[in-house]
Amino acid sequence: MMSKKLFIQTLGCAMNVRDSEHMIAELEQKEGYTLTEDMGEADLILINTCSVREKPVNKLFSEVGAFKKGAKEGAKIGVCGCTASHLGGEIFKRAPYVDFVLGARNISKITQAVNTPKFVATDINYDESEFAFGEFRSSPFKSYINISIGCDKKCTYCIVPHTRGEEISVPAELILREASRAAANGVKELFLLGQNVNGYGKRFSSTHEKMDFTDLLKRLSDIDGIERIRFTSPHPLHMDDKFIAEFASNPKICKSIHMPLQSGNTKVLRDMKRGYTKEWFLDRAERIRSLVPDVSISTDIIVAFPGESESEFNDTMDVLERVRFEQMFSFKYSPRPLTKAAEFAGQIPDEIASERLTRLQSRHNEILDEIVARQKGRVFDVYFEELRANGGVAGRSFNNFLVQVNGSEELLGKTLKVRVDEPKRMVLYGEVV
Ligand code: SAH
Ligand code: SF4
Ligand code: F3S
């Protein structure tokens, strides 16, 4: 008998990417599925969804509609992830041909879901932090590892705590074991994941060795064969001196860090319940830049949060000017169900939001052009991990620039020195030296 085929589409953040890997492992090992990239031949179609802004949610229904049209006779369709968590069985009403709904905190039930008609599981208290998933890695070069699940922060605009539940740290011994196994398989890079990744150690799911994020980084960097450690998303509030010192001095920790600003104005930050001020953020960023001169700092910014005035928005522009982020992800505020901010007075008209977003992005592009131009002629250690659609091979520098050279498979998995000849905003083109 031919093996059953699985097609999976993953939206959202890196945690969803890892969840998809977990589901693939379960389905391959327990249900005999093999992956396909051709939706039309799939027996099972999964969409792993994101709920963080309204757009991805609308996209979900247009995409499951398209799946239904393109799917072969009798194919099952499952909706998983964060939108599944907060819409649950409602999804059947808008898309009756969906076969099951599996929330972000319930993905360990994937084999049960595929075998039970109209299965729904969306419990955010369900604890699967120690669930023994099978092994599946989408990349042989880089291992994603969940170190915590859920988020306790309750930022007033954010739906994540409602889709992923309360924050639980995965026991350190499990993380260390997973990392050692990855290293034994030849993986050189670890990518630690959590919505509040540097809040690690806050609450363990049972009685295990207690450890904070900085100590976990130290322990992971002791593993032979691991050359690079990255992590996302850290919270600026938890970037204490101990952490920054380790970040700066540990030669295995990649010199790039995500510092999600959200807003540069202290009052807006308070309304968002972020827990830090403009000054704290600037102080942390300056400290990191002074201890790690080559660091790349990325950020997330929300414009037009309810009540944000023109001068408050200008504080965000001011922080951009001072920190000069190497990478910026920016969004118009989007009211989300179950969140406090959706009820706040002072919701801002879309024209104003769009204008602020454009101003922010235009200025950032200018800054980025200056940053990028300065990379010409520099030599980076690049860990090659990706064949590019336009030919060539790409990888990341230690400080997270995407670097591409001419070449093919034989470069994959190698770390080589590359001189940048043609720097572009998204990719630095160069030559192996
Ligand atoms: N845990 C991460 C964020 C995860 S969500 C952190 O604290 O940084 C990813 C990004 O989406 C957020 O950083 C924020 O910039 C954006 N975002 C979240 N909710 C949003 C909303 N309601 N409207 C617009 N952007 C939002
Ligand atoms: Fe959402 Fe805030 Fe948690 Fe990030 S830290 S996931 S923005 S609640
Ligand atoms: Fe989206 Fe859920 Fe991640 S809402 S950003 S997929 S945690």
Side-chain angles (χ1 to χ4, degrees), residues 386-394 404-408 429:
E386 184 196 351
L387 294 174
R388 301 279 287 178
N390 59 355
V393 196
Q404 179 170 338
V405 302
N406 289 327
S408 53
Y429 293 91

Side-chain angles (χ1 to χ4, degrees), residues 52-53 151 155 157-160 194-196 233-235 258 260 262 274 300-302 329 331-336 339:
V52 84
R53 283 170 294 278
C151 183
C155 302
Y157 52 80
C158 184
I159 198 171
V160 171
Q195 283 297 356
N196 175 27
S233 289
H235 196 295
H258 190 55
Q262 313 302 0
R274 287 294 286 177
D300 287 351
I301 289 173
I302 298 175
F329 303 93
F331 316 98
K332 287 191 265 187
Y333 167 73
S334 166
R336 307 304 299 126
T339 62

